[in-house]
Amino acid sequence: MGKKVKKEVEPPPKDVFDPLLIESKTAATVVLMLGSSEEEVLAKACDALYKFASKGDENKVTLLGLGAVERLYKLISHEDPIVRRNAIMVFGIMASNHDVKKLLRELNVTNSLISQLVPEEDVIIHEFATLCLAHMAVDYTTKVQIFEQGGLEPLVRLLGSPDPDVKKNSVECIYLLVQDFQSRAAVRALNVIPPLLELLKSEYPVIQLLALQTLEVISKDRETRIILGENKGLDCLLNILETNEFSDLHVEALAVLGNCLEDVHTLQLIQQTGGLKKLLSFVGVSTVPDIQRNAARAITKAAYDSENRKILNEEEVEKCLIKLLEIDNDGLKVAASQAISAMCENLASKRAFGLQGVPQLVQLLSSDNEEVKEAAVTALANLTAASPSNVSAVAEAEGIEPLVNTLHAERDGAIASAATVLTNLATQEPFRVNIQSRGIMSALAEPLRSTNSQVQSKAAFAVAVFGCDADARTELRNAGGLGLLVELLHSKTEEVRRNACWAVMVCANDELTAVELCRLGALDILEEINLSTRRKNSFSEAALEKLLDNNLSKKYSQMGYLSSSNIITDGFYDCGQIKPGMKFLSLEELTMQELTDCRAIIFINAKPREEACATNILYSFVDFGLFIIMRKDFPYLSPKIMYIVFYVRKGKGKKEEEKMNEVTQIVHKVQDEINLENSRWLPPPDSVLLDYINDASRTILPLTTTREQVVALAQFVADKMGGPIERDKLHDFSWELHISEIALELKCNVVPIGKVKKGTFYHRALLFKVIADRIGIGCSLVRGEYNRAWNEVKLADDSPQGIPGLLLPPQEYIVDLMFDPGFLIKQGSAEADQYKHI
């Protein structure tokens, strides 16, 4: 370990004051002597104060209270070298006290101390002036003062002093100063590397340690690392690691090497000289966790560069890191896991870790240490990204259950990474099913509630991934996750908002979930988002459209378009184009409004209202000994009602009275259901529309080709809506008056489409779409301007002559319902534009 820096002689007890040649027994008297004009008195008084202050912090405070600091400050520039030396010695001792340092800073003593660091000055002055500066350099303000007053140059020079205490104090002061980036650049310009490397050869461990700590700080700058390599500093560092005598310096030496490994050139240099192999071997055989942890951190830093990762992979760093995972030290496991995360950017390394490291990382997910758990799951997140083999390795290591459990971890990073790994695993169907069986959606509810944007984003993305399954959507709905998802739509973080929109889009695939999302306000929020050019994204638009697919009335009102997959059902209504920001009223609300001269609302309801009364319930006995209670058979019953049939097994030995009581109970239950159904508001039935659908089914469905069906349906619709209209007489077609008369007759703005006998473009297009959807003809409905609307169909043309059997891609046509009903206008043609706009 070498010699220690020289120690001072043990001071006498602090309660005894050292006598002066002149008579004085109290500190106050000695402080007063600092005002003497005699140099001998001043020198002896300073010497006495030095010995007094050396006895403890209490004595320093006493001298501070007696005003000794201000008097001594006047003496540190005294012309007598002994007085000057002794005064600086007192400052050097007293500066360790916080209150003394504060006063020294106010007196701006640093400038005077720096001026004493000239080469010709006494070595004792150098020792205590640098000691005082080292004490004061702890404070940021003093660091700035020393830098601005040019203190770095003499301090760097004094690193070569023959006195070990001067070296120690100078390097300690430099270490404190280079915490600031300006000082780091300045010492580099002053060529501090050679003297610091020379200090590594010192016989005093404290000097070696301070030199290494200083190198560790300044080697964070690339320029300094280059100079360090040019001065063979890497060899010095590796030599320290290879020397057992310097084992107490190994941690700091590795910290410096860790910085150096960030540079590709430096790493290549170490590799070429065999130093990298030695370094990894040293880490592998070491039994000191701090050394191994620093080595792992050095690898992490180096692995941020792609070329460095390649070099490390060539030296099989993966084996070293996997071995470190097995050591029973939490800090080391964290550092090794972080290094694995960084190395995963290299595909070869990712494959190597997948073969050997995944089981160890999965085991760490069950650690009681939350930091270990976070580091391990983060490594797994990087390992499984775009790697099917590693995904399989995690599943084979039985990692799914601990990953789901990690969603309840304490650290946000662990939760976010666990969600990431699970979504990576979900790319393979068997693993996705396995994860879903463990209640993934319920587990994701808590992360969705997090205030951490990273957790929110990953959790929302996981919902989007697992929400493709109907059971998973039901689980999320039952767990209250939909409300949390809707709240994330308000997020100011773009990634969170985008993933939440994505999840809403996926969850809206089934009607129940879509209805619940709308009830929670998702539709309104998405509409607001899409009005903002800054906040909207492709997923917000898709999510809005998906929700609107379960509310076609609103979709058509807002977007003016229904695709062939948007099937119009009973309860649909067309209230015209709604302005942005306006509330969309339900059909019931519109029905309750008073009659106005506004545009009539056209609604669809081909289902007759079910009659509900006790007489509809029939009692009958069957030969099999069963009682059957059945509602009257109505055509086109709602799927929610249909037939209600109860079977009551005829019990052996039951009395007739008991059987009748059982039947009566069932009757009451059926009646309650009927009453509940009747209590709901239902739109009035449209028997005419029902007849239209039945007629179309009977006459149009039997036609052999879709083209024939489209033409026939167009003629059918036109016939029901007032027949063909000549273009030049379109303005004479008084459909507005007709609609007004119907509304007046009904005393309501809501008009069933079957009542319309003189319909314009948008009436006919809506009726065409309704019937087409019922009989299986694919068509879209498009709203234009000035009461225009039209239907678009895709039809395959006949094969060209001479090429029988050739299938041509379908062409899109607009169906003429006004002028020449059944005429098909090719989309994009001049005729199509004329039909839409004229």
Side-chain angles (χ1 to χ4, degrees):
M1 294 296 295
K3 301 177 182 178
K4 302 288 184 182
V5 176
K6 61 183 180 183
K7 291 185 177 180
E8 297 173 11
V9 179
E10 186 70 27
K14 65 179 181 178
D15 55 343
V16 178
F17 200 91
D18 291 295
L20 294 171
L21 293 178
I22 52 177
E23 291 186 10
S24 61
K25 293 186 180 180
T26 65
T29 303
V30 179
V31 171
L32 288 174
M33 290 180 180
L34 294 177
S36 173
S37 59
E38 297 183 28
E39 294 173 350
E40 185 179 359
V41 172
L42 292 174
K44 293 184 179 296
C46 289
D47 184 55
L49 292 176
Y50 167 76
K51 293 175 181 177
F52 180 70
S54 300
K55 295 173 183 177
D57 208 53
E58 185 180 338
N59 288 2
K60 295 168 189 171
V61 174
T62 299
L63 293 179
L64 176 66
L66 293 172
V69 174
E70 292 89 338
R71 293 172 179 267
L72 287 166
Y73 175 57
K74 297 176 181 178
L75 299 179
I76 61 174
S77 300
H78 198 279
E79 59 184 13
D80 183 79
I82 297 177
V83 173
R84 189 166 67 249
R85 181 196 67 190
N86 290 358
I88 291 175
M89 288 173 65
V90 182
F91 265 11
I93 289 297
M94 290 188 66
S96 63
N97 179 270
H98 173 74
D99 294 325
V100 173
K101 276 190 285 192
K102 183 178 178 182
L103 180 56
L104 290 175
R105 190 164 59 248
E106 293 173 0
L107 295 171
N108 193 19
V109 73
T110 54
N111 201 27
S112 299
L113 291 171
I114 291 169
S115 66
Q116 305 301 320
L117 301 181
V118 292
E120 58 272 16
E121 195 54 89
D122 187 276
V123 70
I124 301 297
I125 289 180
H126 286 168
E127 176 185 345
F128 286 94
T130 53
L131 178 62
C132 186
L133 288 171
H135 284 314
M136 294 182 68
V138 174
D139 179 76
Y140 175 75
T141 305
T142 307
K143 289 178 187 175
V144 174
Q145 287 179 340
I146 295 173
F147 174 78
E148 292 179 346
Q149 293 165 1
L152 278 172
E153 188 275 329
L155 287 169
V156 171
R157 177 168 34 81
L158 287 176
L159 293 178
S161 170
D163 185 87
D165 286 303
V166 176
K167 290 179 179 179
K168 182 261 181 188
N169 295 338
S170 297
V171 71
E172 183 175 5
C173 189
I174 291 172
Y175 168 71
L176 293 169
L177 291 173
V178 296
Q179 305 300 320
D180 180 69
F181 74 95
Q182 286 183 317
S183 294
R184 289 204 292 271
V187 295
R188 183 171 64 246
L190 292 168
N191 199 25
V192 73
I193 296 298
L196 282 175
L197 292 176
E198 194 62 32
L199 291 183
L200 296 180
K201 303 173 185 177
S202 171
E203 56 184 320
Y204 301 105
V206 66
I207 293 177
Q208 293 174 308
L209 181 63
L210 285 167
L212 282 171
Q213 289 174 336
T214 305
L215 284 169
E216 194 266 329
V217 175
I218 64 176
S219 62
K220 292 177 181 177
D221 299 335
R222 185 174 183 276
E223 294 82 357
T224 302
R225 294 196 291 266
I226 293 172
I227 297 171
L228 187 61
E230 291 172 349
N231 284 271
K232 300 192 181 302
L234 300 176
D235 293 338
C236 292
L237 295 168
L238 288 170
N239 185 52
I240 290 174
L241 292 177
E242 292 173 345
T243 306
N244 292 332
E245 186 183 349
F246 295 147
S247 60
D248 54 341
L249 303 175
H250 286 172
V251 172
E252 286 73 22
L254 269 172
V256 183
L257 271 173
N259 291 336
C260 295
L261 294 182
E262 292 183 41
D263 296 322
V264 177
H265 174 73
T266 306
L267 190 59
Q268 288 174 336
L269 187 63
I270 297 175
Q271 183 190 32
Q272 290 166 3
T273 59
L276 184 55
K277 193 175 289 295
K278 289 181 183 178
L279 176 61
L280 295 177
S281 175
F282 167 77
V283 172
V285 299
S286 175
T287 57
V288 182
D290 283 349
I291 291 174
Q292 294 170 314
R293 183 169 61 249
N294 272 18
R297 288 172 179 169
I299 292 168
T300 302
K301 288 181 181 179
Y304 287 130
D305 183 273
S306 59
E307 286 298 317
N308 283 350
R309 290 193 295 270
K310 184 178 178 182
I311 293 171
L312 290 168
N313 172 251
E314 291 172 356
E315 296 296 332
E316 297 183 325
V317 72
E318 298 84 7
K319 293 180 180 179
C320 174
L321 293 174
I322 291 169
K323 187 175 181 180
L324 295 182
L325 284 178
E326 299 170 354
I327 297 173
D328 187 19
N329 181 281
D330 287 344
L332 180 54
K333 289 175 180 176
V334 170
S337 298
Q338 291 170 342
I340 290 172
S341 291
M343 284 298 299
C344 280
E345 292 294 320
N346 181 276
L347 293 179
S349 293
K350 181 180 281 192
R351 286 192 294 270
F353 287 127
L355 292 172
Q356 302 176 49
V358 166
Q360 289 94 320
L361 290 168
V362 168
Q363 288 178 5
L364 295 184
L365 296 180
S366 302
S367 170
D368 294 331
N369 186 304
E370 291 295 319
E371 191 177 359
V372 170
K373 190 182 297 183
E374 179 182 21
V377 74
T378 301
L380 287 172
N382 291 319
L383 278 170
T384 54
S387 177
S389 60
N390 286 353
V391 162
S392 298
V394 171
E396 289 168 6
E398 299 182 353
I400 290 177
E401 185 173 352
L403 282 168
V404 174
N405 293 336
T406 305
L407 292 173
H408 303 293
E410 295 177 11
R411 297 173 74 97
D412 289 335
I415 299 170
S417 294
T420 300
V421 181
L422 288 167
T423 54
N424 291 342
L425 264 65
T427 56
Q428 297 187 33
E429 182 66 15
F431 304 147
R432 185 183 65 80
V433 172
N434 189 333
I435 294 168
Q436 284 177 191
S437 69
R438 299 175 189 272
I440 178 64
M441 287 303 205
S442 299
L444 285 171
E446 193 62 33
L448 288 173
R449 194 178 283 111
S450 171
T451 56
N452 181 285
S453 60
Q454 187 73 1
V455 173
Q456 292 172 342
S457 174
K458 299 300 183 184
F461 182 65
V463 170
V465 169
F466 291 102
C468 59
D469 181 82
D471 291 337
R473 294 194 292 270
T474 301
E475 182 186 335
L476 182 69
R477 192 168 64 245
N478 294 338
L482 293 180
L484 301 171
L485 201 59
V486 171
E487 282 299 312
L488 295 185
L489 295 175
H490 289 294
S491 176
K492 295 180 180 178
T493 305
E494 183 179 355
E495 184 181 348
V496 174
R497 196 168 58 248
R498 184 184 66 246
N499 287 349
C501 290
W502 191 348
V504 168
M505 180 191 74
V506 173
C507 289
N509 270 311
D510 67 72
E511 185 178 356
L512 279 176
T513 307
V515 168
E516 179 66 9
L517 284 167
C518 291
R519 188 188 68 79
L520 293 167
L523 202 57
D524 295 334
I525 299 169
L526 288 168
E527 287 172 358
E528 180 188 346
I529 289 173
N530 288 329
L531 288 174
S532 169
T533 54
R534 182 181 61 84
R535 298 173 64 210
K536 74 175 181 179
N537 55 71
S538 57
F539 288 113
S540 68
E541 293 171 334
L544 176 61
E545 184 168 357
K546 201 71 175 178
L547 285 178
L548 288 173
D549 283 344
N550 289 280
N551 190 342
L552 294 184
S553 300
K554 188 167 187 177
K555 178 177 182 178
Y556 188 52
S557 180
Q558 286 188 336
M559 306 180 71
Y561 177 80
L562 295 180
S563 70
S564 58
S565 62
N566 296 141
I567 306 300
I568 294 178
T569 57
D570 295 322
F572 177 90
Y573 57 100
D574 176 14
C575 60
Q577 190 78 33
I578 191 172
K579 294 179 181 178
M582 284 184 62
K583 182 182 178 183
F584 184 78
L585 300 177
S586 68
L587 185 58
E588 182 178 4
E589 290 171 321
L590 292 168
T591 305
M592 299 306 173
Q593 290 180 342
E594 294 183 1
L595 179 64
T596 66
D597 58 355
C598 293
R599 178 188 187 278
I601 293 93
I602 308 299
F603 78 89
I604 307 299
N605 185 26
K607 177 177 63 177
R609 185 190 299 274
E610 298 88 0
E611 296 177 10
C613 60
T615 57
N616 287 338
I617 303 176
L618 305 177
Y619 302 84
S620 64
F621 293 91
V622 181
D623 293 337
F624 300 111
L626 301 175
F627 294 116
I628 300 178
I629 303 165
M630 182 171 61
R631 292 196 57 187
K632 188 177 180 181
D633 181 15
F634 287 105
Y636 305 100
L637 279 178
S638 164
K640 295 181 180 177
I641 301 174
M642 294 302 290
Y643 299 102
I644 301 177
V645 182
F646 297 88
Y647 296 92
V648 183
R649 184 170 299 280
K650 184 178 180 180
K652 187 175 181 180
K654 281 190 176 181
K655 294 181 180 180
E656 202 66 31
E657 184 180 348
E658 291 177 352
K659 287 184 273 186
M660 288 306 299
N661 287 339
E662 198 168 348
V663 171
T664 303
Q665 290 175 7
I666 296 172
V667 170
H668 288 158
K669 183 176 180 180
V670 174
Q671 185 63 59
D672 289 342
E673 291 183 7
I674 294 171
N675 292 339
L676 178 62
E677 188 71 24
N678 287 339
S679 68
R680 299 192 185 101
W681 182 89
L682 294 172
D686 187 350
S687 58
V688 177
L689 176 59
L690 180 58
D691 291 339
Y692 288 172
I693 295 170
N694 289 335
D695 291 345
S697 299
R698 187 175 60 257
T699 61
I700 297 173
L701 269 182
L703 298 176
T704 56
T705 67
T706 304
R707 183 183 294 269
E708 291 174 336
Q709 292 175 340
V710 168
V711 172
L713 180 56
Q715 293 169 350
F716 178 89
V717 168
D719 181 61
K720 302 301 181 184
M721 288 278 179
I725 310 298
E726 296 181 22
R727 286 182 185 273
D728 55 357
K729 293 184 179 180
L730 183 59
H731 60 281
D732 295 330
F733 185 58
S734 55
W735 63 271
E736 296 98 331
L737 178 60
H738 172 64
I739 299 296
S740 298
E741 289 172 348
I742 298 172
L744 186 61
E745 175 194 341
L746 298 173
K747 297 182 176 57
C748 181
N749 279 333
V750 179
V751 174
I753 197 167
K755 284 269 187 184
V756 180
K757 305 304 178 186
K758 294 180 70 174
T760 188
F761 291 90
Y762 74 89
H763 300 116
R764 300 182 183 211
L766 176 57
L767 181 59
F768 185 94
K769 170 72 171 165
V770 170
I771 299 176
D773 286 347
R774 299 296 174 104
I775 65 175
I777 299 174
C779 76
S780 60
L781 175 62
V782 186
R783 187 196 306 282
E785 296 178 345
Y786 308 111
N787 296 315
R788 295 296 174 106
W790 58 89
N791 304 103
E792 296 173 349
V793 296
K794 289 185 176 180
L795 300 171
D797 291 334
D798 295 332
S799 302
Q801 290 185 356
I803 316 179
L806 177 64
L807 295 177
L808 298 176
Q811 298 291 318
E812 196 168 75
Y813 294 92
I814 292 175
V815 183
D816 187 346
L817 300 173
M818 287 294 293
F819 308 118
D820 185 7
F823 180 68
L824 300 177
I825 309 168
K826 185 166 288 189
Q827 184 71 281
S829 66
E831 292 87 348
D833 291 339
Q834 187 180 35
Y835 187 83
K836 295 176 186 178
H837 304 296
I838 296 179

